[in-house]
Amino acid sequence: MSSFLQSFLDPKKNWLAAQHMKTISKRLRHYGLRYDDLYDGYYELDVKEALNRLPREIVDARNQRLKRAMDLSMKHEYLPENLQAMQTPFRSYLQDMLTLVKKERAEREALGALPLYQRTIP
């Protein structure tokens, strides 16, 4: 069942998945975002930890892209066509660190250690 689901979601094997990926890519290019920019550190603590482990330059570039996207959205505008052509929406910068953080969290849980971070309500 899982191999069927993976082949169904793979853009190389399924036309609908390819169309979905094309649409997402077009929308991300309009605002100059990357797919990894959509992950929210407030929603998932693993993402927050992965962002803390990334180099400062990468996090600053991410924040700049998010600010530019919010500014364009408020103005009801898109990036100019020449800048949209330069965008790489599916070039990942967060996935490797995120998988490492999730693997470390799973290992800590398997060993019975205390969680590395917990959500607290002020």
Side-chain angles (χ1 to χ4, degrees):
M1 182 67 174
S2 111
S3 65
F4 171 73
L5 186 60
Q6 287 176 349
S7 66
F8 184 71
L9 297 175
D10 186 11
K12 295 174 185 166
K13 297 179 181 178
N14 187 349
W15 181 81
L16 289 174
Q19 291 302 314
H20 176 70
M21 187 172 179
K22 183 178 174 183
T23 302
I24 295 293
S25 175
K26 182 179 176 183
R27 287 182 177 243
L28 290 174
R29 284 177 197 267
H30 281 313
Y31 295 105
L33 291 172
R34 291 188 183 169
Y35 190 76
D36 286 350
D37 294 338
L38 303 178
Y39 288 106
D40 188 8
Y42 293 113
Y43 179 70
E44 189 175 352
L45 294 177
D46 289 340
V47 173
K48 182 178 180 181
E49 180 66 25
L51 287 171
N52 287 338
R53 293 183 185 187
L54 286 174
R56 182 80 177 163
E57 300 84 28
I58 294 175
V59 176
D60 288 344
R62 176 184 193 264
N63 291 335
Q64 189 64 33
R65 284 191 302 271
L66 289 171
K67 287 178 184 178
R68 178 178 59 191
M70 285 187 277
D71 182 51
L72 289 170
S73 177
M74 289 293 183
K75 293 177 181 177
H76 299 283
E77 295 177 0
Y78 295 136
L79 276 180
E81 291 292 328
N82 59 346
L83 290 178
Q84 284 184 31
M86 295 178 3
Q87 302 302 313
T88 55
F90 289 106
R91 194 170 87 189
S92 177
Y93 63 90
L94 186 63
Q95 289 299 318
D96 295 335
M97 190 61 72
L98 188 58
T99 55
L100 178 67
V101 167
K102 287 184 178 186
K103 191 181 296 184
E104 287 176 2
R105 183 176 50 85
E107 183 179 347
R108 289 181 69 82
E109 288 176 1
L111 293 174
L114 292 174
L116 188 59
Y117 41 85
Q118 294 179 348
R119 185 178 302 272
T120 58
I121 299 175

